[in-house]
Amino acid sequence: MRKAVFLLALATLAFLAACQRATPTPQPEPTEAPAATEAPAMEEPMAKPSIEVQDQEIMDGKVVIARVVSEGPGWVAIHIEKDGKPGPIIGYAPVQAGENTNVEVEIDTEKATETLFAMLHVDAGEQGKYEFPDGPDVPVKVGDKVVVKPFKAKKGMMEGDMGDMAAQPMIEVQDQEIMDGKVVIARVVSEGPGWVAIHIEKDGKPGPIIGYA
């Protein structure tokens, strides 16, 4: 009887062992890798407020400011010289946020001094209305310095001067950075319709043309 029980127990253990070998061990279900997220696009920092201007003749009661960079809507104001510093304003023109090129400013030529100052102001009050000095359209500062550039100005030939003689063909341009694939020619005088072409240097002389307008 004991032998039979012992054999039965052995048979049961063998059966259980066989079942364990036959039953596969459950494996954890694979998890999907988290989707890759795109890095947020980095906005290009805006250039600091600045003014570029060159010495020039006052033509038709206007001066031309070659380049103005403003953080928002503003004004470029022309100040006369007083005691070697910017004095009263004799003209102003609006500028938009970002880069502005060839900004024409009509001035009071009777009050113009030999040295003028182009100064950047904000448009902080009523939009489109120049409010300075009795208003909020104050000069723009970078750090603790006002954005201002002096330049020489002389009165050019006016209508009626020396008859109907036209100004001689000429080009005025200043050293500059190439911005957005463009260069700026501050002033061109032409006797008729024409082109201003940009040549590269070759052997110290004008070489092939790389652009025109």
Side-chain angles (χ1 to χ4, degrees), residues 178 180-183 185 196-202 206-213:
I178 300 173
D180 299 325
K182 299 177 183 178
V183 293
I185 312 303
V196 56
I198 306 301
H199 298 248
I200 64 172
E201 180 186 12
K202 186 176 182 181
I209 293 173
I210 58 172
Y212 54 87

Side-chain angles (χ1 to χ4, degrees), residues 28-107:
E29 294 184 0
T31 57
E32 293 183 1
T37 57
E38 294 183 1
M42 298 295 290
E43 293 185 0
E44 293 185 5
M46 178 179 288
K48 290 182 180 180
S50 63
I51 285 178
E52 293 178 10
V53 62
Q54 66 177 4
D55 299 342
Q56 58 189 275
E57 290 185 0
I58 301 171
M59 301 298 294
D60 299 325
K62 299 176 183 178
V63 292
V64 177
I65 312 304
R67 182 169 179 261
V68 180
V69 176
S70 177
E71 289 182 341
W75 304 91
V76 57
I78 306 301
H79 297 248
I80 64 171
E81 181 186 14
K82 186 175 182 181
D83 301 326
K85 300 177 181 179
I89 294 170
I90 58 171
Y92 53 85
V95 293
Q96 303 300 316
E99 182 185 36
N100 303 259
T101 57
N102 294 333
V103 181
E104 293 187 351
V105 187
E106 188 170 349
I107 64 173

Side-chain angles (χ1 to χ4, degrees), residues 146-194:
V146 172
V147 179
V148 59
K149 282 292 180 70
F151 64 101
K152 299 292 185 180
K154 60 181 180 179
K155 296 181 181 180
M157 187 183 300
M158 301 295 182
E159 289 185 8
D161 292 344
M162 297 177 67
D164 295 326
M165 183 186 297
Q168 293 295 317
M170 61 171 293
I171 285 180
E172 292 180 2
V173 64
Q174 65 181 356
D175 296 341
Q176 60 190 271
E177 292 183 5
I178 300 173
M179 304 294 294
D180 299 325
K182 299 177 183 178
V183 293
V184 177
I185 312 303
R187 182 167 174 256
V188 179
V189 175
S190 178
E191 292 180 341

Side-chain angles (χ1 to χ4, degrees), residues 19-30:
C19 289
Q20 288 179 354
R21 289 194 300 269
T23 304
T25 303
Q27 300 294 325
E29 294 184 0

